[in-house]
Amino acid sequence: MRGESEVPSSDDGFTIPVAERVKRLPPYLFGKINKLKYQKRVAGVDVIDLGMGNPTDPPDPLIVEKMAEAVADPRNHRYSVANGIANLRKEVTSRYWKKYGVRLDPDSEVVACIGSKEGFSHLCLALMGPGDTAIVPSPSFPVHVYAVMLAAGNVIELDVREPDQFLSNIAYTCEHLYPKPRVVVVNFPHNPSATVIEQDFYVELVRLARKYSFLVISDFAYADICFDGYKAPSFLATPGASEVGVEFTTMSKGYSMAGWRIGFCSGNSEMVRALSTIKGYYDYGLFQPVQIAAIVAMRHCEAAVDSIAAEYQHRRDVFCSGLERLGWEIERPKAGMFVWAKIPEPWAQMGSIDFAMKLLDEGGVAVSPGRGFGEDGEGYLRMAIVENSQRLRQAVKQIGKCMKSEEIAAE
């Protein structure tokens, strides 16, 4: 499964007999952008990369120090357990209780993953097969679609930007589709659109899950990055949620541990057991020093998480203010690492992929075209606020120069 940042060698068909699951994957729409970005960097161009939610901030020094200490212990270099060491799973339950008032059993309701993306993909393998259907939010984060396809399942994408309508569409789909959807995926704060919800959304979702007998997978990756007093609600904090679903969390965002690849699946014990069963065949668990450092992070570095969120809020304000001065109509996000921006006229006529290519080629600023997140993303750009405020100001200047450099060609 390719990530957003990877440069594909080719999107041509294979000359060997690959599996049908590979043939079912759609063309990789980030490929053109990533190839040009790679070429520019090889040529020595300083590209301001706002294309991927890849944190540039380092973890808290205490986390790094603990990691170094654990690496120095020869006992930590053996195989670990696939579901995570006991003290790590206990720390996850402790954080859920302190932050969301949710009680979890560390032995049966938590499993550690090699990042939430790996966990999500393997859970799809554990839950789905040929003929099964999943409802996923649209515009769609690619893995929410591709993991279902790799599990031989079918995907129904529903626009998530009006959450109440999204719920209504789930109910309508369940009423009229046979067999009914097996899984419903939710992702709030949403990537890429930054849509947010309140707890009552999950109350209705749990009611629908019970009525139509589907399972819920909540991708809660951006839980820690919230602005202006908004607090992202946990699906698991809803009465009855653990009876119908699980939630994925990650240390990539709030703790700036993206490259460490550590996340968690928590909730319904049978779904957790199914994921653990699959993982038992695929891996031997996370490198133990990473797990030990993660324990220290959750136990002692909550203030650092709050500081990171405040820094992202400052970057959001700097970047959005700059784009607004250029004439962009921006809805400032309440959470997450992205600004989901409608492309202004007349450049919207180019299409999001071509406009993103223009910004990269002429302006040296890499962004993600909305079309890369499905048809509902067309007309938008997703721009990650991962660079510092000075670099974001420079990005705005370069975007402005690019937009003024020439009139769009008449179609």
Side-chain angles (χ1 to χ4, degrees):
M1 184 64 210
R2 288 189 295 226
E4 291 176 41
S5 65
E6 189 172 342
V7 181
S9 57
S10 172
D11 271 324
D12 297 334
F14 287 92
T15 58
I16 60 171
V18 298
E20 282 299 317
R21 68 177 64 88
V22 176
K23 295 178 184 178
R24 292 182 70 198
L25 292 173
Y28 186 64
L29 293 179
F30 292 106
K32 289 171 64 178
I33 298 289
N34 289 337
K35 185 176 181 180
L36 179 58
K37 180 170 64 177
Y38 174 77
Q39 291 170 346
K40 282 190 168 291
R41 284 181 165 163
V42 169
V45 177
D46 179 21
V47 175
I48 301 177
D49 192 354
L50 310 182
M52 184 181 180
N54 193 5
T56 59
D57 308 276
D60 187 278
L62 185 62
I63 303 172
V64 178
E65 291 168 9
K66 190 63 180 180
M67 175 69 166
E69 177 187 315
V71 167
D73 187 339
R75 295 173 297 179
N76 289 328
H77 291 263
R78 305 180 66 196
Y79 291 128
S80 187
V81 289
N83 63 338
I85 59 177
N87 284 341
L88 176 63
R89 288 182 278 109
K90 288 177 182 177
E91 207 59 45
V92 173
T93 65
S94 177
R95 190 167 193 256
Y96 256 105
W97 171 245
K98 288 184 289 187
K99 193 161 185 175
Y100 304 110
V102 174
R103 293 191 182 277
L104 294 167
D105 182 345
D107 294 325
S108 63
E109 296 179 323
V110 179
V111 58
C113 307
I114 308 172
S116 59
K117 185 176 180 181
E118 173 270 320
F120 179 87
S121 300
H122 280 149
L123 183 59
C124 288
L125 286 179
L127 299 179
M128 303 191 71
D132 293 330
T133 300
I135 292 174
V136 304
S138 178
S140 304
F141 183 55
V143 74
H144 293 157
V145 174
Y146 299 164
V148 173
M149 295 177 68
L150 286 168
N154 303 311
V155 175
I156 295 177
E157 297 177 73
L158 299 179
D159 196 327
V160 77
R161 289 170 289 187
E162 295 294 337
D164 288 342
Q165 186 61 48
F166 179 67
L167 287 170
S168 296
N169 289 340
I170 290 173
Y172 181 87
T173 303
C174 291
E175 285 285 352
H176 293 86
L177 182 70
Y178 182 82
K180 290 179 171 55
R182 179 180 290 268
V183 171
V184 171
V185 179
V186 291
N187 168 217
F188 298 105
H190 183 239
N191 176 13
S193 75
T195 300
V196 296
I197 45 88
E198 299 295 342
Q199 197 75 52
D200 58 355
F201 174 94
Y202 289 134
V203 173
E204 177 63 9
L205 182 63
V206 168
R207 187 189 73 81
L208 292 175
R210 286 171 164 167
K211 180 177 180 180
Y212 296 111
S213 300
F214 60 73
L215 299 173
V216 176
I217 303 176
S218 168
D219 181 349
F220 203 28
Y222 298 91
D224 295 325
I225 311 295
C226 297
F227 315 133
D228 304 322
Y230 173 74
K231 299 295 183 184
S234 166
F235 166 71
L236 292 182
T238 309
S242 62
E243 299 171 15
V244 298
V246 293
E247 186 161 78
F248 282 95
T249 52
T250 175
M251 304 194 72
S252 295
K253 319 305 181 186
Y255 294 94
S256 292
M257 296 170 65
W260 299 52
R261 306 314 301 132
I262 181 164
F264 309 98
C265 177
S266 308
N268 182 272
S269 59
E270 287 297 282
M271 293 173 72
V272 167
R273 184 161 72 97
L275 173 56
S276 298
T277 299
I278 289 288
K279 284 177 62 64
Y281 284 93
Y282 273 97
D283 70 71
Y284 285 104
L286 287 152
F287 186 38
Q288 194 149 291
V290 172
Q291 299 187 60
I292 293 169
I295 293 170
V296 169
M298 285 186 280
R299 190 173 293 170
H300 299 296
C301 298
E302 201 63 30
V305 174
D306 294 339
S307 178
I308 285 289
E311 172 62 21
Y312 278 115
Q313 180 172 328
H314 174 64
R315 293 174 186 175
R316 177 206 64 175
D317 292 340
V318 166
F319 190 58
C320 289
S321 294
L323 290 178
E324 288 163 354
R325 286 193 295 271
L326 294 178
W328 293 58
E329 295 181 6
I330 300 292
E331 184 175 344
R332 299 195 179 193
K334 291 184 179 180
M337 303 168 69
F338 307 106
V339 172
W340 181 245
K342 186 175 178 62
I343 301 171
E345 294 294 348
W347 295 275
Q349 299 172 32
M350 298 179 67
S352 61
I353 294 177
D354 287 342
F355 185 62
M357 290 288 286
K358 176 182 175 70
L359 293 185
L360 177 55
D361 191 30
E362 301 176 20
V365 179
V367 299
S368 290
R371 185 63 182 83
F373 303 98
E375 292 183 6
D376 287 332
E378 185 52 80
Y380 290 81
L381 298 179
R382 193 198 70 176
M383 296 182 275
I385 47 175
V386 292
E387 295 278 5
N388 63 46
S389 56
Q390 181 178 347
R391 294 273 285 173
L392 290 173
R393 290 188 183 96
Q394 184 61 37
V396 170
K397 289 180 182 179
Q398 293 174 204
I399 290 172
K401 290 179 181 178
C402 182
M403 293 170 67
K404 293 176 181 177
S405 63
E406 59 180 287
E407 294 294 328
I408 185 172
E411 296 186 356

